[in-house]
Amino acid sequence: MASNRNGGRSLIIIMSPEAAPGDQERVLERLRSGGAEAEVSTLAGRDLVVAADDAGAVPPLAWEAFPGVERAVVLNAPFRFVSRDYQAGRTVVEVGGVQIGAGGFTVIAGPCAVESREQLFAAAAAVQAAGASILRGDAFKPRTSPYSFQGLGRAGLDLLVEARERFGLPFVAEVVDPRDVEQVAGCADLIRIGSRNMSNFTLLAEAGRQPRPVMLKRGFTATIEEWLDAAEYIYKEGNSHIVLCERGIRTFEPQTRNTLDISAVPVAQALSHLPVMVDPSHSSGRRDLVAPLTLAALAVGADGVMVDVHPAPETALVDGAQALPPEEFASLMRRVRSLAAAL
Ligand code: PEP
Ligand code: MN
């Protein structure tokens, strides 16, 4: 993974919208004359001068005193725009009218995969009645075996759009192929990049070039820094609406499908301004652990959870062992509400 372990120090100079022609060149010239490598980029309509400073070539000047400069930020991590140094205040991501990261605990729920209209609608009705605010359901599934059910594709997306209209819930769906980003983003309120694709840099960049918010799951062998580097790939292309999702990492422990790295939540929140959610279903792979891990996520300060719910888990085509039946999900939501009130 291409993260820079030799420091990754950099300087970002944010030009003022009122900068005069020539202001930017003056900054660039000053940086380059000291031997620093600097380039100009544009993010959210703002011009930035970005200089890598691994070699300590950036002179410690009062950059804010240069004409046309609004703010200068020194960053000590390889990731830049997603870091707390770049933005001190927390990012709030809006998903079809639902806010993630605004201080509440957002619950996303629904089936792992869309299997049929009956299955999706039964799940959507149940999670809506229990109080979830976003529906999940995938039309494209990244499966470990090429012989496993791969999802309904376009037909699955159409069903999700129907479910949104019928139940009034925005939805998240996974995109596994850069060629499908436009299609999935054209339907979903939040597009998701899964654990297996966290380092698919073409997919990350494609997701960064479209306007829908993106949920980025942590790769199951990725460090927190590599995860944030992956988020940087999205942000750098101009999309700042990113939700991180911890989903467990692969360890030597076979009792659970993965090991939920609960400490990754406060660590990622300290390093980054992006909201951090938890997937208790994929991290444990076990229905009996979904409730305790959800409550742990709430207690540790996560911005929400994404939970697998299936109307008849024993018949699920994907991940039935970890899906909650509707009544268990409703009971979990009651416990979430009382713990949230106690906190
Ligand atoms: C999922 O959420 O359905 C999924 C495939 O999860 P992950 O990418 O975390 O394995
Ligand atoms: Mn799944």
Side-chain angles (χ1 to χ4, degrees):
M1 241 147 274
S3 116
N4 182 356
R5 312 265 155 238
N6 307 321
R9 219 176 107 91
S10 55
L11 172 74
I12 298 185
I13 295 174
I14 302 153
M15 302 302 296
S16 141
E18 284 84 45
D23 288 348
Q24 192 168 284
E25 282 64 33
R26 200 170 303 113
V27 169
L28 273 170
E29 230 166 72
R30 190 64 191 80
L31 281 165
R32 287 175 179 156
S33 70
E37 276 174 41
E39 58 182 32
V40 175
S41 74
T42 309
L43 192 71
R46 302 296 292 276
D47 284 336
L48 311 171
V49 177
V50 180
D53 192 26
D54 290 339
V58 169
L61 298 177
W63 293 103
E64 268 114 356
F66 277 64
V69 170
E70 184 176 290
R71 196 161 68 93
V73 193
V74 176
L75 302 170
N76 289 303
F79 44 90
R80 296 172 179 174
F81 301 124
V82 304
S83 78
R84 267 319 256 283
D85 295 335
Y86 182 69
Q87 182 187 306
R90 303 222 59 88
T91 286
V92 176
V93 175
E94 178 140 344
V95 176
V98 175
Q99 292 194 327
I100 303 179
F105 190 70
T106 306
V107 178
I108 302 178
C112 182
V114 178
E115 299 168 12
S116 66
R117 176 181 278 107
E118 295 64 37
Q119 173 251 14
L120 178 64
F121 282 27
V127 304
Q128 191 239 31
S133 49
I134 299 175
L135 175 68
R136 70 154 287 158
D138 290 341
F140 296 95
K141 290 307 303 175
R143 303 306 302 280
T144 301
S145 163
Y147 305 112
S148 303
F149 175 62
Q150 305 283 313
L152 296 180
R154 178 76 232 182
L157 288 177
D158 292 340
L159 289 173
L160 285 159
V161 169
E162 251 188 73
R164 173 174 56 207
E165 264 152 44
R166 172 101 166 249
F167 299 97
L169 294 177
F171 73 87
V172 57
E174 176 153 358
V175 57
V176 297
D177 186 321
R179 292 167 296 187
D180 293 331
V181 168
E182 204 179 325
Q183 183 183 195
V184 178
C187 300
D189 302 279
L190 172 66
I191 65 172
R192 196 176 75 247
I193 295 182
S195 192
R196 284 155 198 78
N197 272 313
M198 190 209 81
S199 303
N200 182 339
F201 303 121
T202 318
L203 181 59
L204 295 170
E206 205 56 46
R209 291 190 208 107
Q210 56 78 48
R212 284 278 180 233
V214 182
M215 173 185 273
L216 177 64
K217 294 187 96 175
R218 179 181 180 183
F220 50 74
T221 61
T223 64
I224 295 171
E225 189 176 301
E226 288 162 347
W227 185 23
L228 295 174
D229 282 338
E232 186 80 13
Y233 268 92
I234 301 170
Y235 203 120
K236 167 174 194 300
E237 296 300 322
N239 190 345
S240 56
H241 314 289
I242 305 168
V243 179
L244 299 168
C245 183
E246 159 63 37
R247 50 79 70 209
I249 51 177
R250 188 168 279 184
T251 69
F252 49 81
E253 178 52 65
Q255 296 286 335
T256 48
R257 183 176 178 180
N258 295 278
T259 298
L260 175 60
D261 182 6
I262 198 76
S263 58
V265 175
V267 171
Q269 286 171 335
L271 292 171
S272 174
H273 51 81
L274 298 174
V276 183
M277 296 186 72
V278 166
D279 180 337
S281 308
H282 289 81
S283 32
S284 65
R286 284 173 46 173
R287 182 172 310 133
D288 63 323
L289 296 181
V290 171
L293 296 184
T294 296
L295 299 175
L298 172 59
V300 86
D303 295 288
V305 281
M306 180 169 70
V307 180
D308 280 13
V309 175
H310 195 289
E314 65 286 356
T315 69
L317 296 180
V318 190
D319 289 348
Q322 69 195 32
L324 295 185
E327 58 286 0
E328 276 186 46
F329 178 67
S331 130
L332 171 59
M333 287 300 286
R334 288 191 290 274
R335 294 174 70 190
V336 163
R337 279 188 283 268
S338 36
L339 179 59
L343 290 170

